[in-house]
């Protein structure tokens, strides 16, 4: 195991993952390191990760990013959640919103009080007790001083990488343009020692970050780390992406529209819309998918439809020897809940928290891999939930999803919620109790019972409790401006 001090960091590949890593490392640790990023103008990035989730705000605060400036530069809009259409059954929709719903108590989540209220005819839709969900439906947004909304962003991934590149270079990162021809390794340790460029230049380093996308040039092609395939749980293996001109004001949510063999995304930016169709090639050809996507887009196309082939799964190690894989090089979970950029961010922060400045230790590698695997597996289960719990039987794809075996970890969560209404968040898990509750209710699971502590409330007390929360949320949303009006006053796009 390498023991010398780490002084040279080499990032292979740009795009969102590469420049997020470069910006964070150079800004927060740049005084101690020499950092260079290698990317080729000839190699396109996937660049469809345009929807995010609230933890990204934490990284932005660490980096001192001015939110309005970043949003203007990336054509960004606000995001309060995801609307799932046709997932439970055709014609049905629900919203998985950020934030919390209602008010929990020490023994039970709000869903138990809501369940009792439903039985007594006192409660309306579960979403009526969540301010973010009500604002989503109303198309409203603002920064509130006393009761802030939980939010994330939609943005142009290419412009985001450009924005982060400027920050990274400002803090000493160097960009090297060109293609990597080969990777040198040490005969004794197997560590990567240098990257040989196509133009003959040799880029040596102490630690290497693989951001080469699905190619996984360092972590897999060089170090042969291994890959766990999850396509038996997540059968979609293809996507078609295209950008279109906006035909209406941007809404503060992502749309996820289920189709016969997959689902379509719509991500509204200030001047355009990101569109795509994720599908399983076993049940839908590429040409059929392209035709379906184009038939469900309003607005002129701004780009040619781009086909992306992928395999869902995860590297067996995210940190192997002196190489850390980020983004698509580390694995892929389809973007159904906008977790791709989040996982990049989490691995960057995790690396910074245990950065091996004085030398790499196996204990650090093992801890990094254990934490990353734990987080990814829980996200994997959350995504499978959307496919497995459905009433759709209208196509071979949905019949397969409904009948396929699922991980026992997910099966336990479903049983627990169905039988008791309980959700327990695993330590350091991304999705909390409210997320699991919203999606399980949205997909059609209604718990068979509620927690007995609810019975301590009289019917009158429960009615007052529920109505007070609902009215408070309604008053809050009523004072908000429209999403479009707030964007225009706060961060009008500076690029087109």
């Amino acid at each position: 195991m390498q023991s010398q001090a780490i002084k040279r960091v080499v990032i292979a590949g740009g795009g969102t993952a590469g420049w997020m890593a470069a910006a964070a490392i150079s800004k927060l640790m740049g005084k101690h390191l020499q950092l260079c990023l290698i990317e080729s103008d000839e190699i396109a990035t996937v660049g469809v990760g345009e929807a995010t989730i609230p933890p990204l705000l934490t990284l932005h605060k660490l980096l001192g990013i001015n939110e309005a400036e970043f949003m203007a530069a990336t054509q960004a809009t606000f995001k309060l959640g995801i609307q799932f259409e046709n997932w439970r059954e055709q014609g049905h929709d629900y919203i998985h919103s950020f934030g919390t719903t209602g008010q929990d108590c020490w023994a039970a989540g709000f869903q138990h009080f809501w369940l009792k209220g439903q039985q007594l005819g006192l409660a309306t839709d579960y979403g009526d007790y969540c301010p973010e969900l009500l604002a989503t439906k109303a198309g409203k947004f603002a920064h509130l001083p006393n009761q802030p909304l939980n939010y994330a962003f939609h943005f142009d991934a290419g412009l985001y990488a450009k924005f982060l590149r400027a920050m990274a270079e400002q803090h000493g990162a160097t960009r090297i343009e060109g293609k990597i021809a080969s990777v040198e390794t040490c005969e004794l340790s197997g560590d990567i020692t240098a990257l040989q460029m196509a133009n003959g230049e040799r880029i040596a380093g102490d630690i290497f970050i693989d951001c080469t996308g699905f190619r996984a040039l360092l972590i897999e092609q060089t170090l042969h780390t291994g890959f766990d395939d999850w396509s038996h749980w997540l059968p979609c293996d293809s996507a078609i992406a295209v950008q279109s001109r906006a035909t209406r004001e941007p809404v503060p949510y992502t749309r996820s529209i289920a189709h016969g063999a997959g689902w379509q995304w719509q991500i509204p930016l200030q001047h355009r819309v990101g569109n795509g169709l994720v599908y399983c090639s076993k049940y839908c050809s590429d040409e059929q998918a392209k035709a379906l996507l184009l038939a469900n887009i309003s607005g002129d196309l701004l780009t040619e439809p781009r086909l992306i082939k992928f395999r869902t799964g995860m590297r067996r190690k995210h940190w192997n020897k002196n190489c850390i894989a980020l983004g698509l090089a580390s694995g892929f979970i389809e973007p159904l809940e906008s977790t791709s950029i989040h996982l990049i961010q989490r691995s960057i922060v995790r690396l910074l928290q245990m950065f091996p400045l004085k030398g790499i230790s196996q204990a650090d590698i093992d801890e990094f891999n254990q934490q990353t695997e734990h987080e990814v597996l829980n996200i994997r289960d959350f995504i499978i939930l959307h496919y497995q719990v459905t009433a759709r039987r209208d196509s071979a794809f949905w019949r397969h999803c409904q009948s396929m075996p699922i991980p026992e970890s997910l099966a336990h969560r479903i049983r627990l919620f169905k039988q008791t209404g309980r959700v327990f968040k695993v330590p350091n898990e991304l999705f909390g109790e409210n997320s699991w509750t919203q999606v399980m209710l949205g997909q059609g699971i209604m718990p068979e019972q509620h927690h007995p502590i609810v019975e301590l409330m009289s019917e009158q007390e429960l009615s007052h409790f529920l109505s007070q929360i609902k009215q408070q949320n309604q008053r809050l949303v009523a004072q908000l401006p429209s999403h479009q009006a707030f964007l225009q006053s706060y961060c009008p796009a500076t690029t087109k």
Side-chain angles (χ1 to χ4, degrees), residues 288-332:
Q288 288 172 325
K290 179 181 175 181
L292 178 62
L293 175 62
L294 296 181
N296 286 279
I297 290 178
S298 61
D300 297 334
L301 299 189
L302 300 176
T303 59
E304 286 296 315
R306 185 156 56 98
L307 176 63
I308 303 163
K309 292 292 183 179
F310 60 83
R311 187 166 53 127
T312 305
M314 178 180 70
R315 299 281 162 226
R316 290 181 184 147
K317 297 176 185 176
H318 300 268
W319 184 343
N320 189 4
K321 299 187 181 296
N322 64 336
C323 175
I324 296 99
L326 295 181
L328 301 177
S330 71
F332 183 75

Side-chain angles (χ1 to χ4, degrees), residues 233 380-381 384 405-415:
W233 291 318
R380 177 204 67 186
D381 284 3
I384 297 171
I406 59 175
E408 176 53 32
S409 51
L410 173 59
H412 166 71
R413 286 184 189 254
I414 294 172
R415 287 194 301 268

Side-chain angles (χ1 to χ4, degrees), residues 91-370:
H92 177 272
D93 65 76
Y94 70 93
I95 293 171
H96 170 203
S97 64
F98 303 138
T100 57
T101 301
Q103 184 179 330
D104 300 338
C105 81
W106 68 271
F110 173 76
Q111 71 269 21
H112 295 273
F113 298 89
W114 176 80
L115 286 166
K116 177 69 172 180
Q118 283 274 296
Q119 290 176 10
L120 297 174
L122 304 174
T124 55
D125 289 344
Y126 187 72
D128 290 343
Y129 304 91
C130 175
E132 287 83 2
L133 195 146
L134 291 178
T136 300
K137 292 171 71 173
K140 293 185 169 188
F141 184 85
H143 287 310
L144 300 174
N146 300 321
Q147 192 173 354
L149 296 171
N150 290 275
Y151 65 92
F153 310 104
H154 303 122
F155 55 59
D156 183 306
L159 293 176
Y160 186 53
K162 182 180 178 182
F163 181 86
L164 294 174
R165 174 184 170 181
M167 171 178 283
E169 292 180 331
Q170 179 186 346
H171 288 92
T174 301
R175 178 187 184 269
I176 298 173
E177 204 287 325
K179 289 185 177 180
I180 300 168
S182 61
V183 181
E184 291 183 16
T185 57
C186 173
E187 289 185 6
L188 293 176
S189 67
D191 286 349
I192 296 172
T193 53
L195 305 181
Q196 191 72 38
M197 304 297 291
N199 64 4
E201 187 178 1
R202 181 178 181 272
I203 311 297
D206 303 314
I207 198 165
F208 293 80
I209 300 177
D210 189 343
C211 300
T212 61
F214 290 127
R215 290 184 303 148
L217 179 62
L218 310 187
I219 197 75
E220 191 60 56
Q221 290 189 38
T222 302
L223 298 181
H224 310 295
T225 301
F227 185 83
D228 289 329
D229 191 316
W230 294 338
S231 55
H232 52 296
W233 291 318
L234 293 166
C236 290
D237 58 6
S238 307
I240 293 179
V242 68
Q243 298 169 11
S244 64
R245 197 175 305 280
T247 58
R248 61 169 182 162
E249 294 181 352
V251 293
Y253 58 90
T254 304
R255 291 182 69 192
S256 171
I257 309 156
H259 290 297
W263 60 279
Q264 178 186 350
W265 76 75
Q266 287 186 1
I267 300 173
L269 276 61
Q270 290 192 43
H271 293 305
R272 66 166 177 81
V273 177
N275 309 275
L277 187 77
V278 174
Y279 58 99
C280 177
S281 60
K282 181 179 177 181
Y283 301 100
C284 180
S285 71
D286 297 340
E287 285 304 313
Q288 288 172 325
K290 179 181 175 181
L292 178 62
L293 175 62
L294 296 181
N296 286 279
I297 290 178
S298 61
D300 297 334
L301 299 189
L302 300 176
T303 59
E304 286 296 315
R306 185 156 56 98
L307 176 63
I308 303 163
K309 292 292 183 179
F310 60 83
R311 187 166 53 127
T312 305
M314 178 180 70
R315 299 281 162 226
R316 290 181 184 147
K317 297 176 185 176
H318 300 268
W319 184 343
N320 189 4
K321 299 187 181 296
N322 64 336
C323 175
I324 296 99
L326 295 181
L328 301 177
S330 71
F332 183 75
I333 302 176
E334 62 182 73
L336 185 58
E337 285 281 358
S338 310
T339 53
S340 299
I341 290 175
H342 171 78
L343 286 171
I344 296 168
Q345 167 198 337
R346 288 291 297 133
S347 286
I348 291 170
V349 172
R350 190 173 290 123
L351 175 60
L352 290 172
Q353 287 172 335
M354 54 180 69
F355 197 88
L357 206 59
K358 295 184 178 180
I360 296 172
S361 74
Q362 189 61 47
D364 273 341
I365 293 176
D366 294 342
E367 182 63 25
F368 184 97
N369 287 329
Q370 184 178 0

Side-chain angles (χ1 to χ4, degrees), residues 7 14 30 56 90 134 186 190 256 285 287 390 399 416 432 491 493:
K7 296 179 181 178
L56 184 64
Q90 289 180 302
L134 291 178
C186 173
S256 171
S285 71
E287 285 304 313
T390 176
R399 289 191 291 273
L416 185 68
C491 58

